[in-house]
């Protein structure tokens, strides 16, 4: 199973970017999907998560600016980032809890490779 993220780049403050991340391989079920970020010199932190039924959770710092969504049939999660600020600059990682192959397997956490988002002032 692999998670492939894309959509990062350089944007000016108050601009927008959309990240996407797809899970591929022998996925039986993809449960919670989410985005985390790690800024230089800081620990990785939660940005947003979404369950398979669509329940969402956001970090206080991005509420009202970022929107997480997913396409269950395509095992894809999106992060729409609006009103970006320089402090949003970080490497963004997607994350998913996946049951592979058969329901007898335990849920396992997978991480994508990270995509860099740079917001200039």
């Amino acid at each position: 199973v692999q998670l492939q993220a894309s959509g990062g780049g350089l944007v000016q403050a108050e601009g927008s970017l959309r990240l996407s991340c797809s899970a591929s391989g022998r996925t039986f079920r993809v449960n919670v999907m989410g985005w985390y970020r790690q800024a230089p010199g800081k620990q990785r932190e939660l940005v947003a998560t979404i369950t398979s039924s669509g329940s969402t959770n956001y970090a206080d710092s991005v509420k009202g600016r970022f929107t997480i969504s997913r396409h269950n049939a395509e095992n894809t999660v999106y992060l729409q980032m609006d009103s970006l600020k320089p402090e949003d600059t970080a490497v963004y990682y997607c994350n998913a809890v996946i049951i592979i192959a058969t329901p007898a397997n335990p849920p396992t956490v997978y991480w994508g490779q990270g995509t860099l988002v740079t917001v200039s002032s």
Side-chain angles (χ1 to χ4, degrees):
V1 173
Q2 287 188 325
L3 293 180
Q4 183 67 43
S6 62
L10 173 65
V11 65
Q12 290 188 332
E14 296 304 315
S16 297
L17 280 176
R18 189 190 195 211
L19 307 182
S20 63
C21 177
S22 295
S24 62
R26 299 181 65 199
T27 58
F28 174 78
R29 180 181 298 125
V30 180
N31 293 336
V32 176
M33 302 186 82
W35 291 94
Y36 291 71
R37 66 186 181 187
Q38 187 168 16
K42 295 187 176 181
Q43 290 187 331
R44 191 173 298 188
E45 64 177 4
L46 169 73
V47 176
T49 62
I50 184 168
T51 67
S52 57
S53 61
S55 296
T56 58
N57 179 53
Y58 293 92
D60 288 343
S61 59
V62 306
K63 282 181 181 177
R65 300 188 299 121
F66 291 10
T67 303
I68 190 170
S69 61
R70 64 188 284 173
H71 191 304
N72 286 335
E74 296 182 355
N75 292 330
T76 300
V77 62
Y78 304 96
L79 186 68
Q80 177 66 40
M81 304 184 293
D82 299 318
S83 302
L84 282 160
K85 304 176 181 180
E87 50 264 42
D88 294 317
T89 295
V91 177
Y92 284 71
Y93 297 90
C94 62
N95 161 286
V97 178
I98 300 173
I99 297 173
I100 63 171
T102 75
N105 288 324
T108 303
V109 177
Y110 291 86
W111 290 90
Q113 83 282 12
T115 184
L116 177 63
V117 172
T118 304
V119 184
S120 62
S121 57

